[in-house]
Amino acid sequence: MAHAFTPGLKVTPRTTVVKERKLPLQGEVLVSKGQKVRAEEIVARTQLPGNVEVVKVAQRLGANPDELENLMLKKVGDRVEEGEVIARSAGFFGLFRSEVVSPVKATIESVSDITGQVVLRGEPIPVQVHAYVDGVVKEVFPSEGVSIQTSASLVQGIFGVGGETQGILKVVARSPDEVLTKDVITPSLKDCVVVGGAFITAEAIEKAVAVGVRALIAGGISDEDLRKFLGYDIGVAVTGSEDIAVTIIVTEGFGRLQMAQRTFELLKSREGERCSVNGATQIRAGVLRPEIIIPYDTDVFSLSPSSEEVSGDLSIGTVVRIIREPYFGQLGTVTALPVELTRIATESQVRVLEVELESGKKVVLPRANVEIFETVRA
């Protein structure tokens, strides 16, 4: 049987998810292998060096740099409070003395008799890493972090913004083609992950922020509304670090696009469950997909393998999503994989495939225009 490899977009009712949770620099791991953890639990922590503040002490005291050491009231390694005097001039016959105070709470890191400057190191910045998903510690990386394993439903989106969050999954749309409007965003959805249908309106985003919704999920969104919400254009960089009050994930793309029926049905079937969401996206090299992870409570703390995943091989019978116009966002099943190159409208010769859409219509497309819509064998 003909086959090829193509990138996949996972929408799976049950799979094994493993997440590495590592510190930006060495620190302390707080859990052990095999330990049960919840998404909000801190699994590792460390401290980043504080910010540096340079104070031109000699200049402010009207002294020469080589005189600085004798004017300092504090020495290297001393901790000082904000507003505390760190240096004082000799004055004139003990009078008219000038003083320099620390602008921050810090530790004196260096005193230079060449530049006349004092370097202050601010308070260490605590960094904590959470488990992110309910699960069990699969592996411990000493002084670095851990990996967490869970059995869960997994839905990957096309694009997202906003970082990691958790909440109860609530489906407010009655069908995958229903628009997510502000009218369905109520105070009862505070701290929830809200699922709509075909589109997220700008008013719905504003209402979600006001109510305290953790995340919004739907088929599509207007790029103009997203730009207005963020205050800038996204560009091609990795998303996920935006300073916004609600994470947003779209499963199909930009515009008014109906959520795939299978995706909607899967999310609907897990309504009311705790889930973890991350809007981080990278489209180019090293593809990173936004995700919704919904652990199973019954075996969330088991390290045993779960259902077998379908591989990334593209073959006859594989379910794919079309990622180019004019069939953008539609699902279909591969019915043929011709080996020979085919000339397309752009005059390029490429490898193609035949896809039967859910409507029954068969279309021929470049293989680069589809991605595998991965499922799991029960």
Side-chain angles (χ1 to χ4, degrees):
M1 182 181 293
H3 69 278
F5 181 81
T6 193
L9 183 70
K10 294 183 179 180
V11 178
T12 62
R14 195 182 195 92
T15 187
T16 297
V17 177
V18 178
K19 289 293 178 181
E20 286 194 356
R21 311 297 292 164
K22 289 190 175 182
L23 295 164
L25 73 168
Q26 289 197 337
E28 178 185 12
V29 176
L30 305 177
V31 294
S32 55
K33 184 175 181 178
Q35 182 175 334
K36 301 173 184 178
V37 293
R38 290 293 180 181
E40 63 276 5
E41 188 172 343
I42 299 170
V43 296
R45 65 187 177 193
T46 189
Q47 290 187 324
L48 296 176
N51 296 323
V52 169
E53 188 85 24
V54 178
V55 183
K56 298 178 180 179
V57 176
Q59 180 181 345
R60 291 171 60 177
L61 294 178
N64 294 323
D66 57 7
E67 299 175 317
L68 180 57
E69 187 174 350
N70 294 328
L71 303 178
M72 292 293 298
L73 302 181
K74 300 290 183 177
K75 61 181 183 295
V76 173
D78 284 352
R79 295 174 62 84
V80 295
E81 298 294 325
E82 182 179 353
E84 185 175 355
V85 178
I86 60 174
R88 181 182 292 127
S89 67
F92 184 70
F93 295 108
L95 302 174
F96 309 110
R97 292 185 175 183
S98 298
E99 295 179 339
V100 176
V101 301
S102 174
V104 293
K105 184 177 181 180
T107 299
I108 296 180
E109 189 165 277
S110 68
V111 177
S112 175
D113 59 2
I114 297 176
T115 64
Q117 296 177 341
V118 174
V119 176
L120 303 174
R121 176 71 66 175
E123 290 291 284
I125 302 169
V127 175
Q128 299 175 334
V129 174
H130 295 80
Y132 174 51
V133 293
D134 295 346
V136 63
V137 178
K138 179 183 180 183
E139 188 175 359
V140 173
F141 309 108
S143 302
E144 294 182 7
V146 298
S147 64
I148 308 294
Q149 178 174 309
T150 188
S151 178
S153 298
L154 172 64
V155 174
Q156 290 182 323
I158 290 290
F159 182 80
V161 292
E164 297 173 355
T165 189
Q166 294 84 33
I168 300 299
L169 190 68
K170 293 290 185 181
V171 180
V172 297
R174 290 165 299 201
S175 63
D177 60 353
E178 187 174 306
V179 173
L180 179 57
T181 66
K182 68 176 183 178
D183 297 332
V184 298
I185 306 294
T186 64
S188 64
L189 296 176
K190 184 180 188 312
D191 296 328
C192 291
V193 173
V194 177
V195 179
F199 188 74
I200 304 173
T201 65
E203 295 76 16
I205 298 174
E206 293 177 5
K207 184 79 173 292
V209 171
V211 166
V213 169
R214 295 289 182 87
L216 292 173
I217 302 164
I221 191 172
S222 162
D223 56 347
E224 183 178 347
D225 289 345
L226 184 60
R227 183 167 57 249
K228 186 182 300 183
F229 173 60
L230 295 175
Y232 57 87
D233 284 317
I234 285 293
V236 295
V238 179
T239 71
S241 59
E242 297 81 13
D243 184 16
I244 54 179
V246 60
T247 294
I248 298 174
I249 294 178
V250 293
T251 60
E252 315 306 319
F254 288 96
R256 192 168 297 234
L257 300 170
Q258 175 179 319
M259 183 180 291
Q261 186 70 37
R262 299 183 194 191
T263 303
F264 184 79
E265 290 175 356
L266 173 55
L267 293 174
K268 184 68 176 176
S269 70
R270 301 302 309 277
E271 185 176 12
E273 302 287 344
R274 277 166 51 93
C275 66
S276 299
V277 175
N278 188 0
T281 309
Q282 180 170 301
I283 304 300
R284 295 194 173 181
V287 173
L288 182 66
R289 297 287 194 185
E291 61 187 9
I292 304 105
I293 301 172
I294 317 166
Y296 282 95
D297 288 336
T298 53
D299 61 352
V300 67
F301 299 128
S302 171
L303 278 176
S304 59
S306 68
S307 308
E308 177 189 359
E309 290 189 36
V310 174
S311 72
D313 281 346
L314 183 66
S315 55
I316 305 299
T318 298
V319 177
V320 295
R321 183 199 301 271
I322 301 171
I323 58 175
R324 297 288 187 275
E325 293 293 354
Y327 304 103
F328 182 86
Q330 294 192 42
L331 297 181
T333 303
V334 177
T335 54
L337 286 167
V339 176
E340 66 277 3
L341 295 176
T342 300
R343 188 180 299 277
I344 59 176
T346 62
E347 297 300 322
S348 299
Q349 287 193 324
V350 299
R351 294 196 184 280
V352 299
L353 77 171
E354 183 184 75
V355 176
E356 182 176 347
L357 304 179
E358 292 182 318
S359 63
K361 179 181 179 180
K362 290 187 177 181
V363 296
V364 176
L365 307 164
R367 296 187 186 183
N369 286 11
V370 304
E371 60 185 358
I372 293 177
F373 193 83
E374 294 190 45
T375 57
V376 166
R377 300 186 180 99

